[in-house]
């Protein structure tokens, strides 16, 4: 009672002095419970006068009304202080509501860039056989545009518009020389420009010098228009004329390098557009994410930005160990950028054709989206080749329109929705049309269709995990971490290998297959008196020290059992963060010892030949980075011949 009296006295004194009374939690509960009309939002409390917040029908005592008015008045003053004194970050952190605002982005339309003049780039002498047309056919963009019209997404007099906000048409223009030379050197620009003045015979001779390129006298201006279309679409998105956009342009661009055209590409449209936006909007478009889902690696885009820390290039493509176009090692997972751009180049190289929806979504969910959120771009450009689509014979993959829509939908969550889709490859006219329509509908706000294939292939999982492991040293969002994540990595494989080698040698580490084989050899000697057979080699791998063991009677005239086998399996679950394999959670599954025990008990002589997957001292540490090792196959064949000639025959 004394405490309560003192507390009420203090409150009376404070109120009488003109300062705000202190409100207790129980008083607040009692006061609010005494009001018949409870307001659930902060806006209601602020916008409606305090005198109206007590219903006139309420027959409460004078004391109750006064007390309740004080309570609600206190709430209103506190709410006003919250809105005036705290920043927006504080509002979110404290749980209070932000100030109301509209939906400026969603009310904008989606942009479309398409120009019939881009169809003027074509072969000088196209085949009369319809099945033998050049893959980069002028009809590609026409089929996409007609597909958009037939879907009712475009204001077109020949079709019925069925959406309230059709695509906003963005006019293409010719890119300038200065814009082209932000990516290409001037000699390259001048070489392409000379084609407009060549005769047909000269053009046919000139195009032979390039890789998968054809020209006519309109190719140069068409390529300028294609690059200009990409630029204007990106500028419209960054300038908030449209919320996002799709550029249905050709010729494509992601193979064109700084000094040469190749792979149907004359100028690198995406790279040029990204550079122009960085130059024209330095504050609003500093960091750019480029996602290239064309089935071929975008060597031109990679070359343009491999040393730029403000452009993140991610390519998901068929690699086939460097044999798939454009070929070579540049598209493998080891190329991560150079200099200040280290870590800003990510290649997801499929080892084979035949990849489908689940593989692509698995790569998006485990690599592309986590890294994209970490990078936090100001604009996203999709180098949208649709040649991984089901039905495209060049790509040989099985990506559906629904999958393209899902990938687009995920990327729309970045950069405040500033997303531009720029056409690259795709050579099945029906596939590219359906895929582009699905992507465009998603850009306009329609949810993607459902995906039926959800289980990735084993090769897809292996590729994604390999890329995650390698890129984890550059990105804090990727797990598990590589064991050498603290080291600095560079472009070339030799330097990477040497860095890893120096780290492991300094730790006194040994390959586990050498340790396990030494253990097996000792166990076989203890149990069956099996001894090592000497193998003479000019360069003896450490893995051959205990490679061949035999019972002491191997040379006698009794049945001889020769066993060639792989090393035993080591089973365990690595730590999901550090990737370390704890020994207490690891088992050695060696079923071979049961066969050897049976053979010895049955009176057989036994020669046991262990074939390691990699040869320590011959392969070095490169097997950590590359599964294709023909050298160990040759070494194993040499071992088998040596055993036959010196021990078995």
């Amino acid at each position: 009672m004394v405490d309560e009296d003192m507390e009420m006295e203090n409150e009376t004194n404070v109120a009488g002095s003109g300062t705000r009374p202190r409100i207790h939690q129980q008083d607040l509960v009692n006061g609010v419970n005494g009001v018949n009309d409870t307001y659930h939002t902060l806006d209601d409390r602020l916008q409606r006068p305090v005198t109206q917040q007590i219903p006139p029908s309420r027959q409460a005592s004078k004391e109750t009304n006064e007390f309740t008015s004080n309570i609600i008045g206190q709430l209103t003053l506190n709410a006003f202080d919250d809105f005036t004194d705290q920043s927006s970050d504080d509002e979110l952190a404290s749980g209070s509501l932000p100030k109301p605002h509209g939906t400026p982005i969603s009310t904008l339309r989606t942009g479309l860039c398409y120009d019939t003049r881009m169809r003027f780039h074509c072969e000088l002498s196209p085949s009369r056989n319809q099945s033998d047309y050049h893959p980069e056919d002028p009809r590609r963009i026409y089929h996409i545009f007609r597909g958009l019209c037939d879907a009712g997404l475009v204001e077109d007099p020949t079709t019925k518009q069925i959406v309230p906000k059709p695509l906003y048409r963005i006019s293409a223009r010719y890119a300038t020389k200065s814009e082209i030379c932000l990516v290409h050197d001037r000699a390259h620009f001048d070489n392409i420009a000379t084609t407009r003045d060549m005769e047909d015979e000269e053009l046919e001779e000139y195009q032979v010098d390039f890789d998968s390129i054809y020209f006519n006298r309109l190719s140069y201006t068409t390529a300028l228009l294609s690059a200009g279309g990409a630029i204007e679409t990106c500028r419209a998105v960054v300038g908030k004329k449209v919320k996002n956009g799709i550029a249905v342009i050709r010729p494509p661009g992601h193979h064109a390098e700084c000094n040469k055209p190749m792979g149907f590409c004359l100028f690198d449209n995406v790279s040029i557009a990204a550079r122009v936006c960085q130059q024209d909007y330095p504050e609003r478009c500093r960091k750019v994410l480029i996602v290239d889902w064309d089935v071929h690696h975008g060597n031109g885009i990679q070359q343009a930005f491999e040393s730029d820390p403000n452009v993140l290039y991610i390519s998901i493509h068929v690699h086939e160990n460097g044999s798939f176009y454009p070929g070579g090692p540049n598209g493998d997972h080891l190329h991560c950028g150079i200099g200040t751009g280290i870590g800003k180049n990510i290649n997801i190289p499929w080892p084979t054709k035949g990849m489908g929806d689940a593989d692509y979504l698995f790569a998006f969910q485990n690599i592309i989206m986590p890294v994209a959120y970490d990078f936090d771009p100001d604009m996203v450009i999709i180098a949208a080749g649709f040649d991984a689509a089901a039905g495209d014979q060049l790509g040989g993959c099985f990506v559906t329109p629904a999958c393209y829509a899902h990938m687009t939908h995920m990327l729309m969550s970045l950069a405040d929705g500033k997303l531009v889709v720029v056409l690259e490859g795709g050579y099945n006219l029906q596939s590219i049309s359906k895929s582009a329509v699905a992507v465009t509908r998603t850009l306009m706000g329609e949810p993607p269709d459902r995906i039926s294939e959800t289980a990735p292939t084993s090769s897809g999982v292996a590729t994604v995990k390999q890329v995650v492991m390698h890129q984890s040293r550059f990105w804090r969002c990727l797990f598990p971490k590589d064991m050498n994540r603290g080291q600095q990595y560079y472009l070339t494989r030799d330097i990477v290998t040497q860095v890893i080698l120096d780290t492991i040698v300094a730790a006194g580490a040994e390959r586990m297959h050498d340790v396990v084989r030494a253990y097996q050899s000792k166990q076989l000697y203890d149990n069956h008196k099996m001894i090592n057979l000497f193998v003479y080699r000019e360069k003896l791998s450490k893995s051959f020290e205990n490679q061949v063991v035999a019972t002491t009677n191997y040379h006698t005239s009794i049945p001889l059992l020769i066993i060639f086998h792989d090393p035993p399996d080591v089973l365990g679950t690595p730590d999901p963060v550090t990737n370390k394999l704890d020994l207490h959670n690891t088992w050695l599954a060696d079923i071979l010892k049961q066969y050897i025990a049976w053979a010895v008990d049955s009176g057989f002589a036994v020669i046991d030949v262990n074939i390691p997957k990699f040869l320590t001292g011959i392969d070095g540490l490169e097997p950590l980075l590359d599964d294709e090792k023909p050298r160990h196959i040759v070494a194993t064949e040499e071992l088998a011949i040596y055993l036959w000639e010196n021990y078995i025959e």
Side-chain angles (χ1 to χ4, degrees), residues 35-39 43-58 65 68-70 72-73 76:
V35 179
N36 194 33
D37 186 10
T38 302
Y39 299 98
D43 289 339
D44 289 336
R45 295 199 298 269
L46 290 175
Q47 294 172 5
R48 302 183 65 167
V50 175
T51 57
Q52 296 180 6
Q53 293 186 9
I54 302 178
S57 61
R58 177 73 173 173
N65 284 334
T68 306
S69 297
N70 289 335
I72 297 178
T76 305

PDB file of all heavy atoms in Angstrom, residues 35-39 43-58 65 68-70 72-73 76:
ATOM      1  N   VAL A  35     -12.205   0.601 -23.241  1.00  0.00           N
ATOM      2  CA  VAL A  35     -12.686   1.286 -24.435  1.00  0.00           C
ATOM      3  C   VAL A  35     -13.396   0.279 -25.324  1.00  0.00           C
ATOM      4  O   VAL A  35     -12.856  -0.785 -25.606  1.00  0.00           O
ATOM      5  CB  VAL A  35     -11.504   1.941 -25.200  1.00  0.00           C
ATOM      6  CG1 VAL A  35     -12.030   2.633 -26.443  1.00  0.00           C
ATOM      7  CG2 VAL A  35     -10.789   2.916 -24.291  1.00  0.00           C
ATOM      8  N   ASN A  36     -14.586   0.587 -25.751  1.00  0.00           N
ATOM      9  CA  ASN A  36     -15.383  -0.365 -26.527  1.00  0.00           C
ATOM     10  C   ASN A  36     -14.864  -0.507 -27.945  1.00  0.00           C
ATOM     11  O   ASN A  36     -14.949  -1.570 -28.535  1.00  0.00           O
ATOM     12  CB  ASN A  36     -16.845   0.091 -26.535  1.00  0.00           C
ATOM     13  CG  ASN A  36     -17.778  -1.005 -27.027  1.00  0.00           C
ATOM     14  OD1 ASN A  36     -17.505  -2.167 -26.791  1.00  0.00           O
ATOM     15  ND2 ASN A  36     -18.864  -0.612 -27.661  1.00  0.00           N
ATOM     16  N   ASP A  37     -14.330   0.563 -28.488  1.00  0.00           N
ATOM     17  CA  ASP A  37     -13.865   0.557 -29.878  1.00  0.00           C
ATOM     18  C   ASP A  37     -12.344   0.588 -29.867  1.00  0.00           C
ATOM     19  O   ASP A  37     -11.747   1.631 -29.636  1.00  0.00           O
ATOM     20  CB  ASP A  37     -14.426   1.783 -30.603  1.00  0.00           C
ATOM     21  CG  ASP A  37     -14.107   1.753 -32.085  1.00  0.00           C
ATOM     22  OD1 ASP A  37     -13.639   0.706 -32.548  1.00  0.00           O
ATOM     23  OD2 ASP A  37     -14.336   2.775 -32.750  1.00  0.00           O
ATOM     24  N   THR A  38     -11.715  -0.542 -30.076  1.00  0.00           N
ATOM     25  CA  THR A  38     -10.258  -0.634 -30.037  1.00  0.00           C
ATOM     26  C   THR A  38      -9.705  -0.429 -31.446  1.00  0.00           C
ATOM     27  O   THR A  38     -10.129  -1.090 -32.381  1.00  0.00           O
ATOM     28  CB  THR A  38      -9.817  -2.012 -29.516  1.00  0.00           C
ATOM     29  OG1 THR A  38     -10.375  -2.194 -28.224  1.00  0.00           O
ATOM     30  CG2 THR A  38      -8.306  -2.090 -29.432  1.00  0.00           C
ATOM     31  N   TYR A  39      -8.732   0.482 -31.595  1.00  0.00           N
ATOM     32  CA  TYR A  39      -8.145   0.756 -32.897  1.00  0.00           C
ATOM     33  C   TYR A  39      -6.881  -0.059 -33.051  1.00  0.00           C
ATOM     34  O   TYR A  39      -6.021  -0.041 -32.184  1.00  0.00           O
ATOM     35  CB  TYR A  39      -7.865   2.259 -33.031  1.00  0.00           C
ATOM     36  CG  TYR A  39      -9.139   3.058 -32.923  1.00  0.00           C
ATOM     37  CD1 TYR A  39      -9.495   3.657 -31.723  1.00  0.00           C
ATOM     38  CD2 TYR A  39      -9.993   3.160 -34.012  1.00  0.00           C
ATOM     39  CE1 TYR A  39     -10.677   4.361 -31.611  1.00  0.00           C
ATOM     40  CE2 TYR A  39     -11.172   3.870 -33.909  1.00  0.00           C
ATOM     41  CZ  TYR A  39     -11.517   4.462 -32.711  1.00  0.00           C
ATOM     42  OH  TYR A  39     -12.673   5.141 -32.604  1.00  0.00           O
ATOM     43  N   ASP A  43      -2.095   4.183 -37.672  1.00  0.00           N
ATOM     44  CA  ASP A  43      -2.685   5.252 -38.468  1.00  0.00           C
ATOM     45  C   ASP A  43      -4.025   5.688 -37.884  1.00  0.00           C
ATOM     46  O   ASP A  43      -4.370   6.873 -37.866  1.00  0.00           O
ATOM     47  CB  ASP A  43      -2.876   4.783 -39.918  1.00  0.00           C
ATOM     48  CG  ASP A  43      -1.550   4.644 -40.626  1.00  0.00           C
ATOM     49  OD1 ASP A  43      -0.588   5.268 -40.160  1.00  0.00           O
ATOM     50  OD2 ASP A  43      -1.500   3.930 -41.625  1.00  0.00           O
ATOM     51  N   ASP A  44      -4.846   4.714 -37.393  1.00  0.00           N
ATOM     52  CA  ASP A  44      -6.135   5.067 -36.798  1.00  0.00           C
ATOM     53  C   ASP A  44      -5.930   5.962 -35.580  1.00  0.00           C
ATOM     54  O   ASP A  44      -6.643   6.939 -35.367  1.00  0.00           O
ATOM     55  CB  ASP A  44      -6.894   3.802 -36.390  1.00  0.00           C
ATOM     56  CG  ASP A  44      -7.395   3.039 -37.606  1.00  0.00           C
ATOM     57  OD1 ASP A  44      -7.568   3.669 -38.669  1.00  0.00           O
ATOM     58  OD2 ASP A  44      -7.592   1.833 -37.499  1.00  0.00           O
ATOM     59  N   ARG A  45      -4.947   5.629 -34.781  1.00  0.00           N
ATOM     60  CA  ARG A  45      -4.715   6.403 -33.569  1.00  0.00           C
ATOM     61  C   ARG A  45      -4.259   7.818 -33.891  1.00  0.00           C
ATOM     62  O   ARG A  45      -4.546   8.763 -33.170  1.00  0.00           O
ATOM     63  CB  ARG A  45      -3.684   5.700 -32.682  1.00  0.00           C
ATOM     64  CG  ARG A  45      -4.156   4.367 -32.138  1.00  0.00           C
ATOM     65  CD  ARG A  45      -3.320   3.952 -30.949  1.00  0.00           C
ATOM     66  NE  ARG A  45      -1.921   3.773 -31.292  1.00  0.00           N
ATOM     67  CZ  ARG A  45      -1.400   2.619 -31.685  1.00  0.00           C
ATOM     68  NH1 ARG A  45      -2.169   1.561 -31.801  1.00  0.00           N
ATOM     69  NH2 ARG A  45      -0.135   2.521 -31.951  1.00  0.00           N
ATOM     70  N   LEU A  46      -3.495   7.925 -35.004  1.00  0.00           N
ATOM     71  CA  LEU A  46      -2.972   9.244 -35.337  1.00  0.00           C
ATOM     72  C   LEU A  46      -3.999  10.104 -36.055  1.00  0.00           C
ATOM     73  O   LEU A  46      -4.066  11.314 -35.864  1.00  0.00           O
ATOM     74  CB  LEU A  46      -1.729   9.093 -36.220  1.00  0.00           C
ATOM     75  CG  LEU A  46      -0.493   8.535 -35.514  1.00  0.00           C
ATOM     76  CD1 LEU A  46       0.612   8.322 -36.525  1.00  0.00           C
ATOM     77  CD2 LEU A  46      -0.042   9.477 -34.422  1.00  0.00           C
ATOM     78  N   GLN A  47      -4.795   9.489 -36.916  1.00  0.00           N
ATOM     79  CA  GLN A  47      -5.656  10.262 -37.785  1.00  0.00           C
ATOM     80  C   GLN A  47      -6.968  10.683 -37.114  1.00  0.00           C
ATOM     81  O   GLN A  47      -7.561  11.690 -37.465  1.00  0.00           O
ATOM     82  CB  GLN A  47      -5.951   9.458 -39.054  1.00  0.00           C
ATOM     83  CG  GLN A  47      -4.701   9.231 -39.901  1.00  0.00           C
ATOM     84  CD  GLN A  47      -4.974   8.269 -41.048  1.00  0.00           C
ATOM     85  OE1 GLN A  47      -6.100   7.858 -41.254  1.00  0.00           O
ATOM     86  NE2 GLN A  47      -3.931   7.913 -41.770  1.00  0.00           N
ATOM     87  N   ARG A  48      -7.481   9.891 -36.159  1.00  0.00           N
ATOM     88  CA  ARG A  48      -8.757  10.204 -35.538  1.00  0.00           C
ATOM     89  C   ARG A  48      -8.547  10.995 -34.251  1.00  0.00           C
ATOM     90  O   ARG A  48      -7.671  10.686 -33.455  1.00  0.00           O
ATOM     91  CB  ARG A  48      -9.534   8.923 -35.263  1.00  0.00           C
ATOM     92  CG  ARG A  48      -9.786   8.111 -36.539  1.00  0.00           C
ATOM     93  CD  ARG A  48     -10.610   6.878 -36.265  1.00  0.00           C
ATOM     94  NE  ARG A  48     -11.939   7.241 -35.811  1.00  0.00           N
ATOM     95  CZ  ARG A  48     -12.942   6.372 -35.738  1.00  0.00           C
ATOM     96  NH1 ARG A  48     -12.746   5.115 -36.091  1.00  0.00           N
ATOM     97  NH2 ARG A  48     -14.115   6.744 -35.305  1.00  0.00           N
ATOM     98  N   PRO A  49      -9.321  12.059 -34.004  1.00  0.00           N
ATOM     99  CA  PRO A  49      -9.147  12.867 -32.783  1.00  0.00           C
ATOM    100  C   PRO A  49      -9.380  12.037 -31.537  1.00  0.00           C
ATOM    101  O   PRO A  49     -10.150  11.083 -31.533  1.00  0.00           O
ATOM    102  CB  PRO A  49     -10.225  13.957 -32.929  1.00  0.00           C
ATOM    103  CG  PRO A  49     -10.594  13.954 -34.368  1.00  0.00           C
ATOM    104  CD  PRO A  49     -10.367  12.573 -34.872  1.00  0.00           C
ATOM    105  N   VAL A  50      -8.680  12.408 -30.483  1.00  0.00           N
ATOM    106  CA  VAL A  50      -8.812  11.675 -29.227  1.00  0.00           C
ATOM    107  C   VAL A  50     -10.238  11.732 -28.720  1.00  0.00           C
ATOM    108  O   VAL A  50     -10.768  10.767 -28.173  1.00  0.00           O
ATOM    109  CB  VAL A  50      -7.842  12.250 -28.179  1.00  0.00           C
ATOM    110  CG1 VAL A  50      -8.060  11.587 -26.824  1.00  0.00           C
ATOM    111  CG2 VAL A  50      -6.405  12.048 -28.642  1.00  0.00           C
ATOM    112  N   THR A  51     -10.936  12.870 -28.909  1.00  0.00           N
ATOM    113  CA  THR A  51     -12.298  13.012 -28.383  1.00  0.00           C
ATOM    114  C   THR A  51     -13.267  12.075 -29.078  1.00  0.00           C
ATOM    115  O   THR A  51     -14.314  11.746 -28.533  1.00  0.00           O
ATOM    116  CB  THR A  51     -12.774  14.454 -28.576  1.00  0.00           C
ATOM    117  OG1 THR A  51     -12.691  14.791 -29.967  1.00  0.00           O
ATOM    118  CG2 THR A  51     -11.921  15.415 -27.769  1.00  0.00           C
ATOM    119  N   GLN A  52     -12.903  11.597 -30.313  1.00  0.00           N
ATOM    120  CA  GLN A  52     -13.788  10.686 -31.020  1.00  0.00           C
ATOM    121  C   GLN A  52     -13.449   9.231 -30.760  1.00  0.00           C
ATOM    122  O   GLN A  52     -14.128   8.344 -31.242  1.00  0.00           O
ATOM    123  CB  GLN A  52     -13.710  10.949 -32.530  1.00  0.00           C
ATOM    124  CG  GLN A  52     -14.210  12.331 -32.913  1.00  0.00           C
ATOM    125  CD  GLN A  52     -14.109  12.554 -34.398  1.00  0.00           C
ATOM    126  OE1 GLN A  52     -13.765  11.646 -35.138  1.00  0.00           O
ATOM    127  NE2 GLN A  52     -14.422  13.760 -34.838  1.00  0.00           N
ATOM    128  N   GLN A  53     -12.398   8.990 -30.022  1.00  0.00           N
ATOM    129  CA  GLN A  53     -11.987   7.612 -29.826  1.00  0.00           C
ATOM    130  C   GLN A  53     -12.755   6.936 -28.697  1.00  0.00           C
ATOM    131  O   GLN A  53     -12.573   5.758 -28.452  1.00  0.00           O
ATOM    132  CB  GLN A  53     -10.485   7.548 -29.557  1.00  0.00           C
ATOM    133  CG  GLN A  53      -9.679   7.960 -30.785  1.00  0.00           C
ATOM    134  CD  GLN A  53      -8.215   7.764 -30.574  1.00  0.00           C
ATOM    135  OE1 GLN A  53      -7.813   7.164 -29.585  1.00  0.00           O
ATOM    136  NE2 GLN A  53      -7.409   8.247 -31.494  1.00  0.00           N
ATOM    137  N   ILE A  54     -13.636   7.682 -27.956  1.00  0.00           N
ATOM    138  CA  ILE A  54     -14.490   7.093 -26.933  1.00  0.00           C
ATOM    139  C   ILE A  54     -15.924   7.166 -27.426  1.00  0.00           C
ATOM    140  O   ILE A  54     -16.469   8.257 -27.605  1.00  0.00           O
ATOM    141  CB  ILE A  54     -14.363   7.834 -25.586  1.00  0.00           C
ATOM    142  CG1 ILE A  54     -12.905   7.811 -25.127  1.00  0.00           C
ATOM    143  CG2 ILE A  54     -15.289   7.239 -24.537  1.00  0.00           C
ATOM    144  CD1 ILE A  54     -12.672   8.561 -23.850  1.00  0.00           C
ATOM    145  N   PRO A  55     -16.534   6.056 -27.752  1.00  0.00           N
ATOM    146  CA  PRO A  55     -17.891   6.077 -28.313  1.00  0.00           C
ATOM    147  C   PRO A  55     -18.842   6.767 -27.354  1.00  0.00           C
ATOM    148  O   PRO A  55     -18.814   6.539 -26.133  1.00  0.00           O
ATOM    149  CB  PRO A  55     -18.218   4.602 -28.481  1.00  0.00           C
ATOM    150  CG  PRO A  55     -16.901   3.911 -28.492  1.00  0.00           C
ATOM    151  CD  PRO A  55     -16.020   4.713 -27.624  1.00  0.00           C
ATOM    152  N   PRO A  56     -19.756   7.628 -27.854  1.00  0.00           N
ATOM    153  CA  PRO A  56     -20.714   8.334 -26.982  1.00  0.00           C
ATOM    154  C   PRO A  56     -21.684   7.392 -26.301  1.00  0.00           C
ATOM    155  O   PRO A  56     -22.268   7.744 -25.281  1.00  0.00           O
ATOM    156  CB  PRO A  56     -21.428   9.279 -27.949  1.00  0.00           C
ATOM    157  CG  PRO A  56     -21.233   8.673 -29.292  1.00  0.00           C
ATOM    158  CD  PRO A  56     -19.902   8.021 -29.254  1.00  0.00           C
ATOM    159  N   SER A  57     -21.886   6.212 -26.883  1.00  0.00           N
ATOM    160  CA  SER A  57     -22.827   5.256 -26.291  1.00  0.00           C
ATOM    161  C   SER A  57     -22.286   4.614 -25.039  1.00  0.00           C
ATOM    162  O   SER A  57     -23.002   3.935 -24.315  1.00  0.00           O
ATOM    163  CB  SER A  57     -23.178   4.173 -27.312  1.00  0.00           C
ATOM    164  OG  SER A  57     -22.014   3.483 -27.684  1.00  0.00           O
ATOM    165  N   ARG A  58     -20.990   4.786 -24.825  1.00  0.00           N
ATOM    166  CA  ARG A  58     -20.376   4.167 -23.642  1.00  0.00           C
ATOM    167  C   ARG A  58     -20.805   4.919 -22.385  1.00  0.00           C
ATOM    168  O   ARG A  58     -20.528   6.114 -22.227  1.00  0.00           O
ATOM    169  CB  ARG A  58     -18.846   4.214 -23.798  1.00  0.00           C
ATOM    170  CG  ARG A  58     -18.092   3.666 -22.607  1.00  0.00           C
ATOM    171  CD  ARG A  58     -18.190   2.171 -22.532  1.00  0.00           C
ATOM    172  NE  ARG A  58     -17.344   1.628 -21.493  1.00  0.00           N
ATOM    173  CZ  ARG A  58     -17.348   0.361 -21.133  1.00  0.00           C
ATOM    174  NH1 ARG A  58     -18.147  -0.477 -21.741  1.00  0.00           N
ATOM    175  NH2 ARG A  58     -16.560  -0.058 -20.189  1.00  0.00           N
ATOM    176  N   ASN A  65     -13.629   7.775 -18.045  1.00  0.00           N
ATOM    177  CA  ASN A  65     -13.441   8.479 -19.306  1.00  0.00           C
ATOM    178  C   ASN A  65     -12.182   9.332 -19.283  1.00  0.00           C
ATOM    179  O   ASN A  65     -11.415   9.384 -20.244  1.00  0.00           O
ATOM    180  CB  ASN A  65     -14.651   9.363 -19.606  1.00  0.00           C
ATOM    181  CG  ASN A  65     -15.840   8.545 -20.090  1.00  0.00           C
ATOM    182  OD1 ASN A  65     -15.642   7.473 -20.644  1.00  0.00           O
ATOM    183  ND2 ASN A  65     -17.049   9.042 -19.871  1.00  0.00           N
ATOM    184  N   THR A  68      -9.117   7.024 -19.385  1.00  0.00           N
ATOM    185  CA  THR A  68      -8.934   6.439 -20.713  1.00  0.00           C
ATOM    186  C   THR A  68      -8.434   7.484 -21.701  1.00  0.00           C
ATOM    187  O   THR A  68      -7.582   7.215 -22.553  1.00  0.00           O
ATOM    188  CB  THR A  68     -10.255   5.835 -21.204  1.00  0.00           C
ATOM    189  OG1 THR A  68     -10.729   4.928 -20.221  1.00  0.00           O
ATOM    190  CG2 THR A  68     -10.053   5.101 -22.521  1.00  0.00           C
ATOM    191  N   SER A  69      -8.972   8.712 -21.596  1.00  0.00           N
ATOM    192  CA  SER A  69      -8.518   9.779 -22.489  1.00  0.00           C
ATOM    193  C   SER A  69      -7.048  10.062 -22.285  1.00  0.00           C
ATOM    194  O   SER A  69      -6.291  10.287 -23.232  1.00  0.00           O
ATOM    195  CB  SER A  69      -9.340  11.049 -22.245  1.00  0.00           C
ATOM    196  OG  SER A  69     -10.694  10.839 -22.540  1.00  0.00           O
ATOM    197  N   ASN A  70      -6.603  10.051 -21.044  1.00  0.00           N
ATOM    198  CA  ASN A  70      -5.180  10.254 -20.765  1.00  0.00           C
ATOM    199  C   ASN A  70      -4.336   9.148 -21.385  1.00  0.00           C
ATOM    200  O   ASN A  70      -3.267   9.394 -21.934  1.00  0.00           O
ATOM    201  CB  ASN A  70      -4.945  10.319 -19.257  1.00  0.00           C
ATOM    202  CG  ASN A  70      -5.480  11.604 -18.649  1.00  0.00           C
ATOM    203  OD1 ASN A  70      -5.599  12.623 -19.343  1.00  0.00           O
ATOM    204  ND2 ASN A  70      -5.815  11.560 -17.361  1.00  0.00           N
ATOM    205  N   ILE A  72      -5.038   7.163 -24.000  1.00  0.00           N
ATOM    206  CA  ILE A  72      -4.997   7.228 -25.470  1.00  0.00           C
ATOM    207  C   ILE A  72      -4.230   8.460 -25.923  1.00  0.00           C
ATOM    208  O   ILE A  72      -3.504   8.445 -26.914  1.00  0.00           O
ATOM    209  CB  ILE A  72      -6.423   7.204 -26.039  1.00  0.00           C
ATOM    210  CG1 ILE A  72      -7.094   5.875 -25.662  1.00  0.00           C
ATOM    211  CG2 ILE A  72      -6.414   7.363 -27.542  1.00  0.00           C
ATOM    212  CD1 ILE A  72      -8.527   5.754 -26.122  1.00  0.00           C
ATOM    213  N   GLY A  73      -4.392   9.551 -25.180  1.00  0.00           N
ATOM    214  CA  GLY A  73      -3.598  10.731 -25.508  1.00  0.00           C
ATOM    215  C   GLY A  73      -2.121  10.458 -25.389  1.00  0.00           C
ATOM    216  O   GLY A  73      -1.317  10.908 -26.198  1.00  0.00           O
ATOM    217  N   THR A  76      -1.021   8.505 -28.389  1.00  0.00           N
ATOM    218  CA  THR A  76      -0.925   9.357 -29.575  1.00  0.00           C
ATOM    219  C   THR A  76       0.357  10.171 -29.559  1.00  0.00           C
ATOM    220  O   THR A  76       1.067  10.289 -30.556  1.00  0.00           O
ATOM    221  CB  THR A  76      -2.142  10.285 -29.652  1.00  0.00           C
ATOM    222  OG1 THR A  76      -3.331   9.500 -29.615  1.00  0.00           O
ATOM    223  CG2 THR A  76      -2.116  11.113 -30.934  1.00  0.00           C
TER     224      THR A  76
END
